[in-house]
Amino acid sequence: MALSETIAFDPLASGGAARRNRTMIVVYGLLALFAAYYLLPLGVIVLNSFRDLDEIARGGLIGLPHSFSTQYWVTAWSTFCVNAFCKGISPFFFNSLWMTIPATIISTAIGAINGYALSAWRFRGSEALFAFMTLGVFLPGQMVLLPWAYTLGTLGLTNTVAGLILIHCVQGLAFTTLFCRNYYVNIPDALIKAARIDGAGFWRIFRKIVLPLSPPILIVTVIWQFTGIWNDFLFGIVFSSGDRQPVTAALIALTAGQTSVRRYNVEAAAVLIAALPPLMIYLFGGRYFMRGLTQGAVK
Amino acid sequence: MASLVIRDLSKRFGSVEVLKNINLEANAGEFIALVGPSGCGKSTLLAMLAGLETVTSGRIEIGGRVVNDVAPKDRDIAMVFQSYALYPTMTVRENITFGMESRRVPKAQQDEAVARVTALLQIGELLKRRPAQLSGGQRQRVAMGRALVRDPALFLFDEPLSNLDAKLRVEMRTEIKKLHQRVAKTTIYVTHDQVEAMTLASRVAVLHKGVLQQFDRPRVVYDRPANQFVAGFMGSPSMNFLPAELVEDGGRPCVALPGNGSPSALLPLAAPVTSASRKVVLGVRPEHLSRDSGGAKPGYGRMDATVEVVEPTGAETMVVMRVGAQEITARFEADIVPAVGETVRVNVDMNKACLFDPDTERLLG
């Protein structure tokens, strides 16, 4: 509330200037060390995607490039042979895209409605229901492979993008419901009550009051779902084959199906292409992600 | 005509009975204050009137119609919430028109209603702002505007002033009173602040532990509280309670305050009191204690007290004193400032004193 006054907490206000400086050096030194540790593998892959194959063979995977070419990216995208299709990874990239976009939108939308119903319209057993749904967050995907195989078979969705969309929508509900419900719980009850007295029903309150307050959590949920679904490997490799595979599954085929020499530079480029969309989402949405996770619904 | 009737209303949450057999009614245009400490059930009662809580047993009638099973939107009520509950993503104007939009009131009629309410509350220049851009008092006004725009049969206020700072609270209290005088709508006003209840209401309902303690005009609730709870709750500082005994002094009925061996004070009663036992509790409000300035006044008693704490407030002096084993608070005039430790002779206005049964805590006489 605007009425509350807070006193800022300054973790450094605990001693003299010398002590403060020592603390700063230790903290930033450690941070730099960890950052380097995490960024080095990415750096190696990026460098390799531009290096000549001979050079990699001679100098090893780790090394600065002496040659530079973007042709490996082109090869990886459009001509490299994967699963006996020599169109690069682009078809699989689009498989992933057509799977991830609808699955993200649908699972987020249903999660928002679930979260709204479970927080603003409590009913007998709603807390238990929520607890059950949250359980889905902790269930390993391997556990549901057989049920899904049966379900997809029955629905005639085996080896289709639609089948994968269905799986990701349902599997994602646990997370999206958890996120949205925990965010909506902070919307004051009085707002919903006032709206009910004002004559608004379930959907009108959702559309006019809850949704306009939702952008922070919807951004969080979309980023989470997009990243999770795009990066999914298990369902992709189990429930699709041939040219229907998402890019994560195709990457394995790309490296596994080699009979001749390994094309490390093309593989590196393919991996980077496959990793780009979640990376972009994070780069552009990352600050909203952090804000959404920490911010309450109503200031 | 009664515009609100509550008959034998009870509410249970599981095994907890939060409201027990409430009977109340409000005449058209009346301002009823529901007052009591937190947890007394007053907000639950209001929520039941609004239709936000179900009725366990009993009956609620609004405008002659039983509304137990009527949805909030169809009860012809409007409510102002403690937190104001303004829709944060809407402008003030949208906040005010949201209900009319929901009920599909024609645009022209909406504009007319907005114009009427904004003129009444002087919030015309706020219409384009969002709640976050308003001060506490402005939010309060907008919340009332949202309620007023509906022109309902019943206004419900749920502690509307408790989020404001002290100065603004007093201003808004006056404003609510003015507003009620102008629109003259039946109003149910929940508060834990007995001053608000006293100043605003035409009748006050005091609730405690889910039971209606007293329902009467403010003056009566203050002067003749039905029991010790009401007596202690209404008025600040609280009424002083002193264990005493009914005696006769020369044929006149008196109460004696216990002392070491002999009574420490003998106070004359205005009228004889019938009581089951001789033991009673004497209730005296702080303002009915004054420093003795010599000269006997009819109906006044006298006692000696030792000053323990002196609290000058500017307008008056609060003095905490000891009489025997009892601590009492007196409200003296501002220029009467006794010294700590001093023994002062205190006049007790026995015409205004109350006697309670020590067992039932009910008012005697």
Side-chain angles (χ1 to χ4, degrees), chain A residues 5 9 11 30 40 45 75 79 84 142 186 205 214 217 260 269 272:
Chain A
E5 286 169 42
F9 169 69
L30 276 174
L40 263 179
I45 297 290
T75 308
T79 62
Q142 286 82 349
N186 296 321
I205 295 175
S214 302
I217 197 61
S260 55
L272 287 173

Side-chain angles (χ1 to χ4, degrees), chain A residues 216-235:
Chain A
I217 197 61
L218 290 185
I219 289 170
V220 168
T221 313
V222 162
I223 291 176
W224 182 270
Q225 283 301 92
F226 190 95
T227 312
I229 296 170
W230 182 277
N231 287 341
D232 166 69
F233 175 66
L234 180 68
F235 296 120

Side-chain angles (χ1 to χ4, degrees), chain A residues 125-146:
Chain A
S126 62
E127 291 294 292
L129 185 67
F130 174 60
F132 270 119
M133 294 195 76
T134 314
L135 205 61
V137 171
F138 304 101
L139 289 184
Q142 286 82 349
M143 241 177 90
V144 297
L145 287 181
L146 280 177

